[in-house]
Amino acid sequence: MAYQNSITLKVSVLLIVLLGVEARDFSFFPHKTVIIRNDISPHPTALDLIVHCKSKDDDLGFHTLAFGGTYSFEFRPLFSPKLGKTLFFCSFTWKGNANPHYLNVYNQDVDDCKVCNWKINTTGGCNDFKGYEECRKWEAAFD
């Protein structure tokens, strides 16, 4: 009898773990995708855009985008106020303007997008999260 209880317990734990993994993929906080496109005018010549994105916990490294090129990443926002809110910010540099420019590309407090498309230009970034294009100027430097 104890042997059957042990098997039942193990199978129950296994099912709970599997259901937990499945529930995590189908949650109230689904994956978000950020897409960044180099939209810096190619006149007189096309310029590469160097992108470096981070959050408090993740450094996504440096990426070089040719004009029209994209870089994207996925994440799941935090769901507990005790853990804080999810914020991803990026620095952008290009030839002729080597000082980094900064932009919040996802801020859980204000951005309600499943796919967050950004077009980066020399004055900042533009998105269409709300069904119309909204442009944001560069932010102050982040530490």
Side-chain angles (χ1 to χ4, degrees), residues 45-58:
T45 60
L47 297 174
D48 288 347
L49 178 66
I50 300 170
V51 180
H52 184 203
C53 297
K54 293 180 172 185
S55 73
K56 182 178 117 185
D57 301 318
D58 299 301

